[in-house]
Amino acid sequence: MRKKIDSDFKRKRQRMKLFRFGELSNATGASLQLDFNRQATVDGCRGIIDYYENLIKLKVSGGVVVFCGCGLSISSLSDSDVVIEGNIESIEFLTRG
């Protein structure tokens, strides 16, 4: 069992994008605000790619943000802001390039 846990961790770590100091503060575009795992506000959303009860995929500058969980819904939508509510279990960032 230990080998499976170790290999899963290594695989997830390889998919993570690491940022150098100052990279995030200089980034323009989308920002994400979390209220624990019950609500997320995405400022700078450019569109909704997928919308299901257990997965919401949003297009943002620089890539895609994927929310996975249970009972997910979009409670508010404006020109560039999206508020997602539900039980958020994971957030994945898919970058271009």
Side-chain angles (χ1 to χ4, degrees):
M1 183 79 171
R2 181 156 170 79
K3 284 187 177 184
K4 180 171 177 24
I5 292 171
D6 288 344
S7 65
D8 286 347
F9 177 75
K10 287 177 184 175
R11 204 172 320 127
K12 286 180 182 178
R13 192 177 70 199
Q14 289 172 348
R15 289 191 327 208
M16 278 190 217
K17 177 164 175 53
L18 301 176
F19 297 96
R20 281 182 257 143
F21 182 76
E23 242 181 270
L24 291 177
S25 62
N26 295 333
T28 59
S31 66
L32 176 65
Q33 179 180 342
L34 294 173
D35 185 8
F36 193 57
N37 71 332
R38 303 300 298 162
Q39 185 180 58
T41 304
V42 180
D43 181 27
C45 177
R46 295 186 173 184
I48 300 169
I49 298 171
D50 285 322
Y51 183 15
Y52 302 102
E53 184 179 345
N54 60 348
L55 179 131
I56 296 177
K57 197 180 285 191
L58 304 176
K59 181 178 180 184
V60 295
S61 62
V64 174
V65 180
V66 182
F67 295 88
C68 296
C70 298
L72 299 180
S73 65
I74 295 177
S75 63
S76 177
L77 178 64
S78 68
D79 289 343
S80 65
D81 294 347
V82 175
V83 178
I84 296 172
E85 293 185 343
N87 185 15
I88 301 169
E89 295 173 358
S90 68
I91 302 170
E92 188 172 356
F93 301 93
L94 308 172
T95 57
R96 289 185 226 152

